[in-house]
Amino acid sequence: MSENTRVTFPAATGVGSMPGGDAREAAKTVTGSLEDFPHLAELPARGPGADMIGRTAGMLVELYARVEPSGWRLSDRPGRDTRRAHAWLREDLDALEEFTQGYEGDLKVQAVGPWTLAAALELRNGEAVLSDPGACRDLTASLAEGLRLHVADVRRRIPGARVVLQLDEPSLTAVLRGQIRTASGYRTHRAVDRQIVESGLREVLGASGPGPTVVHSCAPDVPFALLRRAGTDAVSFDFGLLTERDDDAIGEAVEGGTRLFAGVVPGTDAALSDPAGSVMGVRTLWRRLGLRPGLLAEAVTVTPACGLAGASPAYARQALAHCVRAARSLADNPE
C-alpha cells in the first residue's frame, strides 16, 4: 500500500473500554465527545462477560466458554456465562444505536484478536489454547466468523456508518517471543512462528469485509512490520512506550500508508497538559524521522494510551475531549 492509497480516518477516537456499568451513559459520552469517530463502549466493571476476553468469547461461532477460577475455559455448550456475554453486548449495541440515529461516518468496534485470545482462553485440560496448533486454527476460524456476524449487525443497526474493526492484541509480542506461561507457571509456551501469527491475523482482519481495520496493543515492542504484512490499515499503541528502536518500523509504516493511532493521553486520572503539549512527542518523532510535517494530520489519529476502564467517569469524558483538541492542535500546527 503506497502513501497515495492511505486509508483515511478521523483525527481522534477512543480505545474501547469505559468506566462504570451504565451502557446508555457510556454511549452518550462516547458519541458526544467523539462526534466524528465514536466507538462501541466496553464496560468491564460489570463483571464476567463484559471483560475483554469474555466479551469476545461470547462472539465465537460454535465454540463456547465458561468462567473457571483460573479464567475463561472452553466448554461443550453455551451456558450462563455465554448468555451473560451476549446480553451485555446486546445492551451496549442498543445504547449505541440509540445515540447514533442518522449518524454517517466512521464507527469503531473492538474485539480481542486471535493470539491474545488463544493465550487467555483455556482448553478443557486447563492449558491455554495457544498450546494446541489445531485448537488455535479452530479458534481463529470461529472468531473470524463471529466478527463477520458482529460487523454485519452493527452495519444493519447503524446503516450510515463505515464500521472500523479493531483487534486488541496486548499479548501478541509475548506470543511471538514464547513468553506466555503454562498453567503450572513453571514453563512458557513455545513461540508461535511469525508466518502462522501473520496468517491468523489476516484471516480475522478479513472479517471486516470492505471496512478498515486497526490492531491495538498497549504493550511494549509492537511488531509494526508484521501487522502491516497481515493487512491492517492502522496500528494503535501507547505512544509513551515507544523507544528509538521503533523508529525505522514506524517510518516504514507511515511511508507505506499505515495510519498510526497514537495513544498520547493517559488512560487513568491524571493532570492533562495543554492539547499542544500532549502531541509534542509526536511532532518530535516526526522531525526525528524526517517525515513531511503536512503528513501528520493524514497519518495520525490521537487516542488515549489505553482503555479508560480504570478512570473516573469525569476523567474519561475529559480525556476523550482532550484527544479531539490535541488532534486539532496537530492539524493546525504540524511544525
Side-chain angles (χ1 to χ4, degrees), residues 59-133:
M59 297 180 188
L60 297 174
V61 172
E62 296 181 0
L63 286 179
Y64 312 103
R66 65 176 187 270
V67 179
E68 296 286 340
S70 54
W72 285 88
R73 182 174 295 181
L74 293 177
S75 60
D76 295 324
R77 60 184 66 84
R80 178 183 60 189
D81 297 321
T82 299
R83 290 192 293 273
R84 187 187 292 124
H86 290 169
W88 290 138
L89 179 59
R90 192 163 53 247
E91 183 178 305
D92 294 337
L93 285 167
D94 288 346
L96 183 65
E97 185 178 1
E98 177 185 347
F99 286 99
T100 51
Q101 293 296 307
Y103 175 74
E104 294 184 356
D106 284 352
L107 173 71
K108 185 163 66 67
V109 298
Q110 307 82 217
V112 176
W115 298 107
T116 295
L117 195 61
L121 266 183
E122 297 174 358
L123 297 166
R124 292 168 185 81
N125 64 5
E127 283 296 350
V129 169
L130 193 65
S131 66
D132 183 332

Side-chain angles (χ1 to χ4, degrees), residues 148-300:
R148 268 191 284 274
L149 296 172
H150 177 51
V151 168
D153 184 29
V154 176
R155 288 194 179 114
R156 179 184 57 78
R157 288 169 174 263
I158 311 166
R162 180 177 77 157
V163 180
V164 178
L165 174 63
Q166 174 181 303
L167 298 182
D168 294 322
E169 281 283 12
S171 299
L172 183 60
T173 300
V175 167
L176 289 165
R177 292 179 175 174
Q179 295 171 338
I180 301 296
R181 296 210 163 270
T182 59
S184 69
Y186 294 120
R187 296 184 300 109
T188 56
H189 293 290
R190 183 179 304 171
V192 181
D193 181 87
R194 297 179 81 86
Q195 289 186 320
I196 292 173
V197 169
E198 184 182 322
S199 174
L201 283 167
R202 186 180 297 109
E203 181 178 351
V204 178
L205 287 166
S208 69
T213 55
V214 184
V215 177
H216 167 73
S217 174
C218 50
D221 299 323
V222 176
F224 287 92
L226 183 149
L227 296 177
R228 288 176 54 222
R229 290 195 303 272
T232 190
D233 297 301
V235 179
S236 172
F237 55 95
D238 180 344
F239 190 85
L241 296 178
L242 291 183
T243 69
E244 292 195 16
R245 290 198 315 270
D246 298 304
D247 280 7
D248 288 346
I250 290 175
E252 288 170 10
V254 172
E255 291 177 344
T258 303
R259 183 87 173 191
L260 304 180
F261 280 38
V264 298
V265 176
T268 52
D269 292 39
L272 296 175
S273 67
D274 67 287
S278 293
V279 288
M280 189 182 303
V282 179
R283 291 192 184 94
T284 300
L285 172 67
W286 231 245
R287 285 194 294 271
R288 195 164 73 229
L289 295 177
L291 293 168
R292 179 167 55 85
L295 187 60
L296 263 172
E298 297 174 31
V300 175

